[in-house]
Amino acid sequence: MANLIAPKLSVNVNKIATLRNARGGNNPNVLTVALDCEKFGAEGITVHPRPDERHIRRTDVFDLSKHVTTEFNIEGYPSEDFLELIKAVQPHQVTLVPDPPHVLTSNAGWDTKTHLQELKSIVARIKAESSARVSIFLDPTPELTGYAAETGTDRIELYTESYAVEFLQSPEKAIGRYIETAEAAIAHGLGINAGHDLDLNNLSYLAANLPGLLEVSIGHALVSDALYHGLFNTVQLYRAALRKHILYP
């Protein structure tokens, strides 16, 4: 078994904010849903605010920061506004994502070799201005893990879109580069997170086979599944998927 301890589940509530914003008002209430996710067993809450506030708003970030009692993880591109928000909010974890403001969703990891000096400066600033753990979004590229470690980051978050796509044809092939990257990251002293397009079909295999996996961040699939199963049942299903290889070896 790759992992003897189940990875933690952090629920990304961006899609809840998208639904609220589509109609105006405050229904569904992002804070209420986040606190319910915690109550139902989620071990963290993730948000990814963007400059146009098309889903999560700055006010959401501040509201959540006052009430989330598990791990509060803020993802985003490290603009000056984002870094000032981190300083003000003091989350438990900051995940740095290299997506410019116009993209629909995160679609690539950092080239830590090309952006080494920039990331060093950003990570140092975050650590100087907060007590947050820092994670860097990374493609499954083993050779980039050494540069990631040089930035001073605590963890990497593996971008799992290609895993999710290839999983449908061959789970073993899909996870190959992820295992290599995780092993390289561990050798450099980094923790492993993962996120993007993870769902109830592919999550258990990832949790069982990816070395050192500590945490997954899941939003779109979990919220979509909640439409059918209800939020309580869905959080339980995702937690069970992360523990399946431990509960039923």
Side-chain angles (χ1 to χ4, degrees), residues 8-12 42-47 71-73 93 215-219 222 242:
K8 293 181 178 181
L9 171 65
S10 184
V11 176
N12 187 318
E43 293 140 313
I45 298 296
T46 292
V47 294
E71 178 190 272
F72 189 33
N73 173 45
Q93 179 170 263
E215 177 183 313
V216 296
S217 174
I218 304 177
L222 189 149
L242 288 167

Side-chain angles (χ1 to χ4, degrees), residues 100-240:
H102 65 276
V103 300
L104 180 63
T105 187
S106 303
N107 56 18
W110 285 96
D111 180 342
T112 50
K113 181 178 181 179
T114 299
H115 296 280
L116 176 60
Q117 296 307 318
E118 174 188 357
L119 287 168
K120 269 188 176 181
S121 176
I122 291 165
V123 171
R125 176 174 170 180
I126 292 171
K127 288 180 174 290
E129 297 180 345
S130 76
S131 59
R133 178 198 309 133
V134 180
S135 180
I136 290 178
F137 208 51
L138 199 72
D139 291 319
T141 312
E143 53 268 30
L144 292 180
T145 60
Y147 296 103
E150 284 189 51
T151 69
T153 191
D154 303 291
R155 295 185 183 182
I156 59 169
E157 179 174 329
L158 289 171
Y159 172 46
T160 48
E161 180 183 20
S162 63
Y163 164 76
V165 172
E166 294 176 15
F167 180 86
L168 300 174
Q169 283 73 47
S170 171
E172 185 174 299
K173 182 179 178 181
I175 205 170
R177 287 284 282 178
Y178 288 88
I179 292 175
E180 293 174 12
T181 305
E183 289 174 342
I186 292 168
H188 288 292
L190 297 173
I192 312 296
N193 296 344
H196 205 89
D197 289 347
L198 297 175
D199 60 26
L200 290 173
N201 295 315
N202 58 42
L203 185 58
S204 288
Y205 189 83
L206 186 83
N209 293 284
L210 188 65
L213 182 61
L214 298 171
E215 177 183 313
V216 296
S217 174
I218 304 177
H220 181 84
L222 189 149
V223 172
S224 298
D225 287 334
L227 296 175
Y228 293 93
H229 305 301
L231 187 60
F232 172 81
N233 289 333
T234 300
V235 172
Q236 294 300 307
L237 287 168
Y238 275 85
R239 292 187 74 225

